[in-house]
Each structure stands twice: as structure tokens, then as C-alpha cells.
Amino acid sequence: MAAVLVASAGCHQKADSAGSPVASGLPGPAPSAAVAEPLAGERVEVPGGTFTAGSIPGEAGRHPDVEQRRTEVQLGPFRIDRLPYPNDPKLPAKVGVPRDEAEHLCEARESRLCTELEWERVCRGPSNHLFPSGEAWSAACAKGPLGCAAGFDVLAMGTLREWTASDVGVESSARKASVRGANGLAAAELHRCDARTGERADTKSDDLGFRCCKGPKNAAIVEEPHAGQTFVQAQITPARVGELLRADKKTERLAKDLRFFKEPDSAETVVSRGPGDRKGFLFTVAPLLWNPVAGAEFLVVSGRSGESTSFVVVFHVMGKDAYKLASSFIMENEVGPVALAYNGYIRPRVHWSTCWGCPGESGKILYRDPDEVVIVQP
């Protein structure tokens, strides 16, 4: 292998060909100066309709094991307090109470805790923004929450963690109460409207408050991510992979004269070049769908471009036949074949190799929390 060039596109890259928004660490736009002064007990009418909930694979700060992939959700109309409880601009937000007490306080006002999807709907507003302050988090919201309005003119969202009536992990023994939002000083990506965390329902914290909703409770819930089969052979053509490679400047040159290696002969060639010990791994040169953790799915492809450039490329699976570059590893002056070595009991990694068991001829494809992949050669 004469030369190796690594090009990695992790989850902290700027918006790519798939158009995913970015959680900037910059101050962001200032809240609108046109926000009407809030009144005690004020509620906002939220119309029924469809909105896009959930996060985008590779989005900065995304936790795929608790955040569902982007999906359309239908909600009926409801009303929501314009401010966190007690919904009075002259009083501080009530914090430090467990969820059941928050529920009782809302009930005393003939209201209820909002569901997490109602909370997300309000946070996103009618324009379906990524953050309550727009397409970037505005640090100015932390300093002036009463002047920080989400799209429906609800205030102070994202400046405090808030209890919801929903649960996280409803199908497991680790069931917790769903919390949305973040305190004002948290990292930008934690203020995403789709960010989702779970807390024990008896938690008391000085940055954990709540707000109340009124009207029939919406039944829609977040679809809990689950871990599927670790590896499945992907049904994808070289022509389609070529389209995906051309969609990103880091890999567009690989689409020229693209070919897959011959299966299973090429995989056996890689093994036979070494000492022959497979070490419990299966080998393939066919594209693989890889599910390293619940909610995260990747397409792993090895191939050759032209006569002497081989590569391994990994894409986030965005949806049905929709992909976005996650990471790439390009080998100049290497004719291959390049095989993928995997074991269904080992979720967090895949190996690649041109000569299995030969020093300097193999590497790893590693999944790293919260939602990125890196390709390395030791």
C-alpha cells in the first residue's frame, strides 16, 4: 500500500449534501425585539397539524439510542402556558420538584403536563426550526428568556430543562421520565428541539422545571429506537453507490470507474494472503448494513475506483434509500481487494483488510458516541 489518504466526515461537520442543519457553538441570532410582554396565566393556542419530529442521523449531539429518526407526526390542537410554571413573569420558574408533584400542580390549575411531542411541536414552531430560537441556538436567550420566543410565541423554551408527561424506554426495565430542553448555559447542541433525555421521575434539580398544557392529551408518542440485527447484507448497486459518492466533495472522485470486488472470491483472496486464522470473523466484499447501537444504522461499502484506488466508505442511513456520508478511507495505489471482517456479537466495530493478519494491511471502522464513525489504520 503506497499511500493512504483519510477523509472523515463526522457528526460535527457543517451542513453537507444531505442538508442537515448544524448546531453552532456561536452566539447565534439575538431573540426578536418584537416579543410581546408576557402576562400572568397567559396561554398560547397551538393549532393541530403535522410536523417533523425527531433528529437527523449525524446531527451534532444526537443520541440515536433515545432520539427517533426524523418522522412526520400528527397532533391535535392544544393550549400551552407561555412561560414555565407558575407562568407568571413576576415570579421565578418553579424548579426542584419531582414529576408527580409537577403533575399535581398542573392538575390544580385544571391543566396537565405537556407530552414530549407537544413540547417539541411548540419548540419547533410552524417553521419546524431546529432550535427554539431558530436554526441556531441564541446564547442571548439564556440572558433574557422572557424575550426569547419560539415559533408559536411561547417563551423561555430551551432555557430550562422541563418535565413532560412522556416516558423514555417504555419497553425496558430502564423506563424513565422524558425531559426536554436544557438549561441556558448548556452546550448549543443540547438546546435542539429534538434533544431527548430521561430522568428518574423522583429527581429534584434546580435546573429542572415544567410547564402545563390544556386540552385533550395527544396520544402520539416517540417511537423508541431499538437494536436490530448487527449486520445484514445490503441490496444496493454500484450505480447507486456512485450517486452517493458524487453527492459529497470528499468522495466524488471515487465515483469514476467504480466497481465492487467479486463476492465471495475476493474476500477469500484477502484471507488467503495471510496466515489463514479467521479469528472468529466472517468476511465479505459486499456492502453491509451495520447497526452498532439502537437507533443508529450505517451502510459500509468497499470498492475500487479506476485501476489503482481502493476505498472504504461509510454512510449514515437517513431513511429508505437515503444516505449521508459519515466517514471515508481512501487507499491510493492499492488495487485491492478490500474485505470487511465482522462478527455479529461485536457491535461497535467492523474490520477492513487487504491481507488478513498481515501487519499494516488492516484497519477498523469504529462507532463512537454519540453518533459518529471513524475509520482508522493502526
Side-chain angles (χ1 to χ4, degrees):
M1 194 181 301
V4 177
L5 170 65
V6 180
S8 179
C11 68
H12 298 293
Q13 298 293 320
K14 297 237 176 186
D16 57 18
S17 57
S20 62
V22 176
S24 171
L26 299 176
S32 171
V35 175
E37 184 177 345
L39 305 174
E42 190 174 13
R43 291 194 178 108
V44 173
E45 299 278 349
V46 182
T50 300
F51 80 106
T52 304
S55 54
I56 299 173
E59 189 173 80
R62 179 179 190 258
H63 289 272
D65 57 333
V66 293
E67 296 176 19
Q68 69 180 354
R69 197 159 57 190
R70 282 284 174 95
T71 187
E72 296 297 302
V73 174
Q74 176 77 34
L75 294 181
F78 59 97
R79 284 176 283 169
I80 187 170
D81 287 356
R82 198 171 180 219
L83 289 170
Y85 187 95
N87 194 25
D88 186 337
K90 297 179 180 179
L91 298 173
K94 188 170 185 61
V95 297
V97 298
R99 186 170 70 169
D100 61 353
E101 183 175 342
E103 290 174 333
H104 294 324
L105 288 169
C106 285
E107 289 169 0
R109 293 188 171 186
E110 299 183 337
S111 300
R112 57 177 175 80
L113 272 184
C114 308
T115 72
E116 62 179 325
L117 287 174
E118 290 170 340
W119 194 99
E120 185 173 341
R121 161 79 161 150
V122 173
C123 180
R124 289 184 176 279
S127 298
N128 217 65
H129 288 308
L130 181 61
F131 296 91
S133 53
E135 285 307 298
W137 170 243
S138 173
C141 287
K143 298 179 180 178
L146 297 187
C148 189
F152 288 110
D153 204 32
V154 175
L155 304 182
M157 299 196 89
T159 63
L160 186 73
R161 295 194 301 149
E162 297 185 28
W163 286 120
T164 74
S166 306
D167 290 329
V168 174
V170 294
E171 297 179 354
S172 73
S173 59
R175 181 172 180 160
K176 293 184 177 180
S178 176
V179 171
R180 293 300 187 109
N183 70 57
L185 300 180
E189 60 268 19
L190 298 181
H191 294 276
R192 291 176 294 115
C193 294
D194 48 45
R196 182 182 192 235
T197 59
E199 288 279 3
R200 286 179 40 159
D202 59 358
T203 298
K204 298 179 181 180
S205 175
D206 60 7
D207 72 340
L208 181 53
F210 62 99
R211 71 178 76 211
C212 306
C213 282
K214 193 172 179 63
K217 180 179 178 180
N218 277 281
I221 61 172
V222 170
E223 182 179 346
E224 294 292 336
H226 67 278
Q229 188 172 336
T230 311
F231 297 101
V232 177
Q233 188 164 323
Q235 302 301 315
I236 191 167
T237 65
R240 178 63 178 127
V241 171
E243 293 174 356
L244 300 177
L245 293 172
R246 279 190 290 271
D248 196 289
K249 291 183 178 180
K250 302 178 188 70
T251 56
E252 60 183 353
R253 68 184 181 91
L254 298 177
K256 184 178 181 181
D257 299 325
L258 167 67
R259 70 196 75 176
F260 290 167
F261 300 112
K262 186 178 181 181
E263 175 78 5
D265 298 355
S266 294
E268 292 302 316
T269 295
V270 171
V271 176
S272 66
R273 287 172 176 174
D277 183 0
R278 296 174 182 262
K279 300 180 181 179
F281 288 91
L282 301 175
F283 291 80
T284 187
V285 291
L288 285 177
L289 287 174
W290 173 34
N291 179 206
V293 298
E297 188 176 20
F298 298 90
L299 172 67
V300 186
V301 180
S302 68
R304 186 166 72 214
S305 172
E307 296 302 318
S308 60
T309 300
S310 295
F311 62 85
V312 178
V313 178
V314 182
F315 299 94
H316 288 280
V317 177
M318 310 295 289
K320 185 177 181 180
D321 196 35
Y323 308 90
K324 180 182 70 174
L325 182 67
S327 191
S328 60
F329 193 89
I330 303 171
M331 292 163 269
E332 306 286 3
N333 302 319
E334 172 58 70
V335 298
V338 182
L340 304 174
Y342 63 99
N343 183 319
Y345 294 102
I346 303 175
R347 283 191 174 271
R349 73 175 186 272
V350 186
H351 295 257
W352 62 264
S353 181
T354 56
C355 176
W356 185 248
C358 305
E361 296 296 321
S362 298
K364 298 176 182 179
I365 306 168
L366 303 173
Y367 176 79
R368 291 182 176 173
D369 288 333
D371 192 24
E372 67 177 353
V373 165
V374 295
I375 306 175
V376 298
Q377 182 182 29

